Amino acid sequence: MMAEVKYLDEGNLYFQIERIVDRVRSATLIDDRRDAVRTLKSLSKKFRVEVGTQAMDVLLRVLQQDRSDSEIVKFALETLFNVMNDEVSEEQQGTVMPNELAVQFTEIFIKDHGNVELLINLIEDFDFHIRWPGVRLLTTLLTNKCKEVQEICLVVPRGVSVVMDLLLDTREVVRNDAILLLTHLSKDNPNIQKIVAFENGFERILQIVEDEGGSEGGIVVEDCLQLLSNLLKHNTSNQTFFKEGSYIQRLSPFLDQKQLEGSVEQGWHRQKVNNVHLMLQVVRCLVSPSNPQQTTQSCQRAMFQSGLLQQLCGILMASGVPADILTEAVNTVAEVIRGNQTNQEYFSSVMAPVQPPRAVIEVLLSTMVNERQPFVLRCAVMYSIQSYLYRNERGKAQVVSSLLPKQNEDVRRNSTGQLLCLGMFSSDSLSNWLAAVALSHAILDTSSHKEMLLKVLLAININAPPVTLMDQLLASLKQETRFQTRLGYLMLLSHWLANCPAAVAQFLASNQAPVSFLVSLASAMDSHDESYKVIQGVSCFLLGLCLLFNNNQVDNYSEAKLREILIRRVGVETLTDCLETVSRQEVYTNAAKKPQLKYREASEVVFDFEYTRLYKALESSILKAVSAEGPSKRDTIEEHESIVSQYKQLIKEQDDQVHALRKELHQLRTSHSQTQERCKELDEHVQQLRDQNAVLRAADGDEAVRQQLLQLQAENETLRRENASRQTQEQQTDSTHDSAEQVEALLQRVAQLEQDLAAARAQVDEKPTSNEAAEEEVKRLQQENRRLANDLDTIKKEQDDLLVLLSDQDGKIKALKSRLKELGQEVKDEDDELDLDSEAEEEAS
């Protein structure tokens, strides 16, 4: 057979492969079929199309029928792997293959879901010659048609569990390929990711990482970390499970400072860089700003308690760390401390190992405003400063206060504020933009810090008096022509003036004539330059803020006069077009997605995330304020608060009514349950009477009747008690009638409440919100009351049935008394006894 392969005539190849396939199909001896499949395997790399189109069906039949022969199964799996694998081998070089050939064969294979189930069952076999080729083939299927194969594996019984068991295989080649298989299987599929996690996946993966040497390990560690990242990214359930399983603590040894120091001496090899980079990405998956806030905060606390944050800060201060690792470490620290006060305080206390000691924030700022540093590293530092100041009032106050003069200040050392000023007014446009945006985050949403910033003085020239920071910004803005620098200044001024009338007053009163300058920018002739259109839009936005938060302290630029200037010199339509142009820009849309700066080069840096939020929040208010007839922001807010208070009062009243209805319903349910218990006791008593009657019927002869006489007398006493019980039951029935009357009254109250609610809805029909929740609650109570009324009707029917049973019992007892009289026994009637008792009472009286 092998000789036949060697001398194949490629011109007649189709018929020769067809003959081999017929041999596999028709041969009765397993040896003949094995040789034929071996021949197909040897042809499958070079002649994929011919083998795939003719042999796939027969190979699948071999997998089903010849599973007892591991060698033929191995050849069949390897043949299918060669057919569906697009990697070019040495035999295929120079051969022209159709596009997406592997994808087409994969579609044919998975069209029958049973083929994938068959493959998973083969993988479950421990035989190396079956398991390993099966793992490779399933990985290839996932590579070609990932989503479709994932869905099939989910419906196959124990499909994912079988793959998980491969991680326990002691043969490294199988285990390593199983890691790759799981990486493809879990990609972008939350359901499979959850199954892997709950199948003890985290424990097995981290154990392999530790066994392989951690950060010093090889490619296997990289594959494990990639799989771990797949399981955690955008999967809140797995993130919570990872944190609650104390797996965050097991990440700390991976970033141990001793290992890093050893790497500095010996140098970082490429695999080491990849491993550490992926581990940092795993950490970021747990604390990403896109995660739910509760999950992020819990993971941030765990990272501080486990010492992981301390190790990450150690990487920032270590020497000899590669630039890409340092960049990723800065981004990781930024997300670990973002919005967490404890972590932010620890970050601010970290000192760099230099003489004299400097805070880590100052070191990072020095890197950010240094134009010789890599661009991605400077963006990462900017992200860390943003995260440090995010919801950190204490940190913001420290940054702003560092701009104010202090006694006994070390002039040889640049403070945080001085570094920001150096960056804002340097010759590098990117440094100007980064420093201005960083300072804007220090005053974000805090009026007190904005007013403190008004007191900052800068000594620009030794022979000239100091000037305010506001005046220096406006002077630099008028002189600058660089797009990035001018935009950074305008964004800083926008954050400064928003919600701060004092800053607006100082801005308008400046001797730099900012209004005239901004109006000239906004009213310039149309330009096809997109950068200039952005500057025009941002200038109009800044002018709108001056109008929106104007306290009328500057006479020449009061609210009315400033509106007139804008309408006359800029125009409402021009202003509207300029503002809308900014929000339609692609750079604006990209910046509004995430707080992290992700750009490939410095020229792409335009907008900041927080600025886009401010712009989006106030754009419509500015357009309304520019219009003379439009309502002011203050009136709009007061009207909104009035509407909200009315709704709160209405909802409170309805909550009280619903609470009262619930209380009454609870009382009715209690009464109903008591009635059911009483009925149950009566049923048990009736059953006892039936049993006694059966005993009496079975009794035979006079002697037996005499023996039952005493029991009959006791039965008479029981009947007396039954009469009393029946009277009690009638009273309970009356009580039930009272409950029904309560239900009827409750329904009337619900109807009245519906009428009141309809009247309230008519009054607030033009308001933006509704009270659907209260209406649904009332409807639910109505349904509950109707169900309770039905239950009461059922109880009445059961009581009627009980009366019928008691009547039958009386008839049977009378028949027994008659029989006893016939037998000559003296039996007193119950009525006679009652008459005797009454006569005795009369005589006694």
Side-chain angles (χ1 to χ4, degrees):
M1 180 67 67
M2 298 305 296
E4 183 178 337
V5 174
K6 184 177 180 181
Y7 298 107
L8 272 175
D9 182 7
E10 296 188 12
N12 200 19
L13 182 64
Y14 182 87
F15 297 102
Q16 296 179 14
I17 293 179
E18 183 181 8
R19 188 178 63 183
I20 299 172
V21 171
D22 289 339
R23 186 173 301 177
V24 177
R25 183 182 296 110
S26 59
T28 56
L29 296 178
I30 187 66
D31 293 338
D32 293 341
R33 294 199 298 274
R34 187 188 308 116
D35 290 340
V37 174
R38 183 188 292 112
T39 304
L40 289 174
K41 177 208 164 187
S42 62
L43 295 171
S44 59
K45 288 187 177 181
K46 189 173 182 180
F47 307 107
R48 291 172 57 196
V49 178
E50 293 80 2
V51 174
T53 53
Q54 297 186 68
M56 184 170 292
D57 292 338
V58 73
L59 291 174
L60 290 172
R61 185 187 301 176
V62 168
L63 295 178
Q64 294 172 350
Q65 299 178 355
D66 295 328
R67 292 183 58 177
S68 58
D69 190 313
S70 61
E71 193 171 3
I72 193 173
V73 172
K74 170 191 172 184
F75 292 147
L77 291 173
E78 290 178 346
T79 304
L80 292 172
F81 172 79
N82 293 337
V83 168
M84 299 182 197
N85 186 14
D86 266 338
E87 295 181 4
V88 179
S89 62
E90 295 181 359
E91 299 179 12
Q92 294 173 317
Q93 292 181 357
T95 305
V96 179
M97 294 291 177
N99 293 331
E100 298 184 352
L101 181 61
V103 175
Q104 296 173 9
F105 281 129
T106 301
E107 290 176 350
I108 297 173
F109 184 88
I110 66 175
K111 188 175 182 180
D112 183 0
H113 294 184
N115 295 335
V116 179
E117 183 175 0
L118 172 63
L119 182 56
I120 292 176
N121 292 334
L122 291 172
I123 290 175
E124 200 170 3
D125 195 324
F126 187 75
D127 191 334
F128 177 79
H129 296 93
I130 297 178
R131 174 171 285 188
W132 186 51
V135 169
R136 296 176 66 201
L137 178 57
L138 184 55
T139 305
T140 302
L141 295 176
L142 285 164
T143 303
N144 297 334
K145 301 292 289 186
C146 184
K147 186 174 295 185
E148 292 81 355
V149 179
Q150 286 175 340
E151 295 300 325
I152 298 173
C153 290
L154 278 174
V155 299
V156 172
R158 293 190 70 250
V160 181
S161 301
V162 170
V163 179
M164 281 297 301
D165 292 339
L166 299 176
L167 295 180
L168 300 177
D169 200 307
T170 55
R171 296 161 296 195
E172 290 189 0
V173 63
V174 176
R175 184 202 66 186
N176 298 344
D177 282 351
I179 295 171
L180 296 176
L181 171 58
L182 275 171
T183 303
H184 288 88
L185 184 62
S186 62
K187 184 178 181 181
D188 299 329
N189 194 302
N191 294 326
I192 294 179
Q193 291 168 359
K194 293 176 183 178
I195 296 174
V196 173
F198 286 102
E199 288 279 351
N200 207 22
F202 293 138
E203 175 66 30
R204 297 180 186 180
I205 294 169
L206 291 175
Q207 188 60 50
I208 294 174
V209 170
E210 294 172 1
D211 294 341
E212 293 292 328
S215 59
E216 297 290 344
I219 189 66
V220 177
V221 173
E222 181 179 349
D223 294 338
C224 287
L225 294 176
Q226 184 62 57
L227 172 58
L228 197 60
S229 178
N230 280 4
L231 298 177
L232 294 174
K233 195 170 185 179
H234 306 310
N235 194 315
T236 305
S237 174
N238 280 6
Q239 292 165 3
T240 303
F241 184 74
F242 191 87
K243 182 262 176 184
E244 293 178 352
S246 300
Y247 295 114
I248 291 179
Q249 288 80 345
R250 297 182 62 176
L251 302 181
S252 298
F254 194 95
L255 301 173
D256 185 55
Q257 195 68 24
K258 295 181 179 179
Q259 292 188 7
L260 295 178
E261 292 174 356
S263 298
V264 170
E265 297 175 359
Q266 303 172 5
W268 288 63
H269 54 82
R270 188 60 195 171
Q271 190 60 56
K272 168 80 172 183
V273 173
N274 293 343
N275 293 344
V276 176
H277 194 275
L278 279 172
M279 177 55 77
L280 294 174
Q281 289 183 349
V282 169
V283 176
R284 293 185 65 183
C285 288
L286 297 169
V287 292
S288 173
S290 60
N291 295 343
Q293 186 175 0
Q294 183 178 0
T295 303
T296 300
Q297 291 178 347
S298 62
C299 291
Q300 287 174 334
R301 288 193 297 268
M303 289 178 184
F304 177 77
Q305 295 168 359
S306 64
L308 186 61
L309 175 58
Q310 292 84 330
Q311 291 179 337
L312 291 171
C313 291
I315 295 178
L316 301 186
M317 297 296 100
S319 58
V321 178
D324 52 349
I325 293 297
L326 183 59
T327 302
E328 190 66 20
V330 173
N331 287 325
T332 305
V333 171
E335 295 184 350
V336 174
I337 68 174
R338 183 178 177 83
N340 188 292
Q341 187 174 359
T342 302
N343 294 1
Q344 289 169 339
E345 290 179 356
Y346 172 80
F347 178 71
S348 64
S349 66
V350 176
M351 305 299 291
V354 295
Q355 292 299 330
R358 299 179 64 191
V360 64
I361 299 177
E362 296 177 1
V363 176
L364 292 175
L365 281 176
S366 301
T367 303
M368 185 183 74
V369 299
N370 187 349
E371 58 183 312
R372 292 190 296 271
Q373 294 293 338
F375 167 70
V376 290
L377 179 59
R378 298 173 71 185
C379 290
V381 172
M382 179 69 219
Y383 185 40
S384 67
I385 299 300
Q386 292 177 7
S387 300
Y388 169 68
L389 297 174
Y390 182 69
R391 296 181 181 176
N392 185 5
E393 299 302 321
R394 183 178 178 182
K396 293 178 181 178
Q398 290 176 350
V399 172
V400 174
S401 61
S402 65
L403 287 164
L404 300 175
K406 299 183 181 64
Q407 294 182 352
N408 301 325
E409 186 177 11
D410 187 0
V411 297
R412 298 170 298 176
R413 173 182 168 184
N414 290 327
S415 64
T416 303
Q418 290 172 339
L419 288 170
L420 289 175
C421 288
L422 290 174
M424 274 196 295
F425 303 113
S426 68
S427 59
D428 178 39
S429 60
L430 180 61
S431 297
N432 304 152
W433 189 94
L434 293 172
V437 171
L439 184 57
S440 69
H441 282 265
I443 59 175
L444 190 66
D445 300 329
T446 311
S447 298
S448 59
H449 297 161
K450 295 177 182 180
E451 294 176 359
M452 288 175 58
L453 206 61
L454 297 175
K455 304 175 183 178
V456 175
L457 299 176
L458 300 179
I460 303 301
N461 195 332
I462 299 177
N463 299 323
V467 297
T468 63
L469 177 60
M470 178 80 74
D471 287 339
Q472 181 60 32
L473 269 176
L474 293 175
S476 301
L477 179 62
K478 294 174 67 175
Q479 297 172 2
E480 278 291 345
T481 57
R482 293 174 297 178
F483 166 72
Q484 216 164 41
T485 301
R486 182 176 283 183
L487 181 62
Y489 292 163
L490 289 172
M491 289 195 296
L492 173 58
L493 289 170
S494 298
H495 280 290
W496 198 347
L497 270 56
N499 297 292
C500 185
V504 172
Q506 183 172 334
F507 178 84
L508 295 175
S510 174
N511 55 11
Q512 298 293 331
V515 174
S516 300
F517 175 70
L518 293 177
V519 167
S520 64
L521 288 178
S523 59
M525 298 298 293
D526 292 340
S527 173
H528 297 290
D529 186 5
E530 294 295 329
S531 300
Y532 194 80
K533 290 182 180 179
V534 171
I535 294 296
Q536 280 185 313
V538 176
S539 300
C540 290
F541 183 76
L542 187 56
L543 287 170
L545 294 177
C546 295
L547 177 64
L548 198 61
F549 301 101
N550 195 326
N551 57 6
N552 297 317
Q553 289 186 359
V554 181
D555 294 336
N556 295 334
Y557 296 108
S558 63
E559 183 177 353
K561 291 181 179 180
L562 186 58
R563 180 184 294 110
E564 183 181 354
I565 291 173
L566 293 178
I567 294 175
R568 180 166 48 84
R569 297 185 56 185
V570 179
V572 177
E573 293 183 1
T574 302
L575 190 83
T576 303
D577 292 340
C578 290
L579 291 176
E580 292 178 351
T581 299
V582 173
S583 57
R584 289 197 300 263
Q585 294 287 329
E586 184 179 359
V587 289
Y588 176 92
T589 306
N590 294 334
K593 293 178 180 178
K594 289 184 178 181
Q596 183 184 359
L597 301 177
K598 283 191 174 182
Y599 300 106
R600 289 171 294 184
E601 54 186 23
S603 60
E604 297 179 356
V605 178
V606 180
F607 287 112
D608 171 57
F609 174 77
E610 292 295 341
Y611 179 78
T612 59
R613 293 182 63 230
L614 177 69
Y615 195 94
K616 183 178 180 181
L618 298 179
E619 179 184 3
S620 59
S621 300
I622 290 174
L623 292 175
K624 292 178 181 179
V626 170
S627 176
E629 66 275 6
S632 64
K633 182 178 180 64
R634 188 177 297 103
D635 295 338
T636 304
I637 292 175
E638 290 177 356
E639 181 183 357
H640 177 71
E641 290 178 351
S642 175
I643 294 172
V644 170
S645 62
Q646 292 176 8
Y647 274 110
K648 286 182 178 179
Q649 183 64 26
L650 180 62
I651 292 173
K652 183 177 183 301
E653 293 175 359
Q654 291 180 346
D655 284 343
D656 295 339
Q657 293 174 348
V658 171
H659 180 71
L661 291 174
R662 285 179 175 174
K663 187 175 181 180
E664 293 182 13
L665 180 61
H666 178 70
Q667 294 175 354
L668 290 175
R669 286 177 174 174
T670 304
S671 176
H672 174 64
S673 62
Q674 292 175 354
T675 303
Q676 285 183 329
E677 291 178 0
R678 190 65 58 86
C679 292
K680 183 178 180 181
E681 292 175 359
L682 290 176
D683 290 340
E684 293 176 354
H685 190 68
V686 169
Q687 184 63 38
Q688 291 176 1
L689 292 177
R690 288 176 178 173
D691 295 342
Q692 291 176 358
N693 287 333
V695 172
L696 289 175
R697 289 174 182 173
D700 211 4
D702 295 343
E703 189 63 28
V705 172
R706 289 191 187 95
Q707 292 178 358
Q708 295 296 328
L709 182 59
L710 295 176
Q711 295 181 2
L712 185 58
Q713 293 174 351
E715 179 63 27
N716 290 333
E717 286 293 323
T718 302
L719 289 173
R720 290 193 188 97
R721 291 195 300 269
E722 178 61 29
N723 288 330
S725 175
R726 184 171 57 188
Q727 293 175 358
T728 303
Q729 181 62 35
E730 291 174 355
Q731 295 175 358
Q732 181 64 33
T733 304
D734 294 337
S735 175
T736 305
H737 284 297
D738 294 338
S739 298
E741 294 175 358
Q742 293 178 2
V743 172
E744 184 64 24
L746 182 59
L747 290 174
Q748 293 177 359
R749 290 192 61 188
V750 171
Q752 182 64 34
L753 179 59
E754 287 180 342
Q755 295 177 0
D756 296 342
L757 187 60
R761 189 185 300 112
Q763 295 176 1
V764 296
D765 189 37
E766 297 179 356
K767 300 301 184 290
T769 58
S770 65
N771 297 291
E772 294 180 1
E775 293 176 2
E776 292 178 358
E777 182 65 20
V778 171
K779 291 180 181 178
R780 190 184 65 78
L781 289 175
Q782 290 176 343
Q783 295 175 356
E784 188 71 20
N785 292 336
R786 294 192 189 98
R787 187 184 64 78
L788 184 57
N790 295 332
D791 292 342
L792 292 176
D793 292 338
T794 303
I795 292 174
K796 292 178 184 178
K797 293 179 181 179
E798 292 178 353
Q799 290 175 350
D800 293 339
D801 295 341
L802 181 60
L803 292 175
V804 173
L805 290 174
L806 290 175
S807 177
D808 293 341
Q809 184 66 25
D810 289 339
K812 293 177 182 178
I813 291 174
K814 289 179 180 179
L816 289 173
K817 288 181 179 179
S818 300
R819 185 179 177 188
L820 288 173
K821 289 179 180 179
E822 292 175 356
L823 294 173
Q825 297 294 328
E826 183 180 358
V827 179
K828 294 182 179 181
D829 292 336
E830 185 177 345
D831 296 335
D832 296 340
E833 291 180 358
L834 294 175
D835 294 339
L836 292 174
D837 291 340
S838 62
E839 291 176 359
E841 290 177 357
E842 291 176 356
E843 292 175 358
S845 62

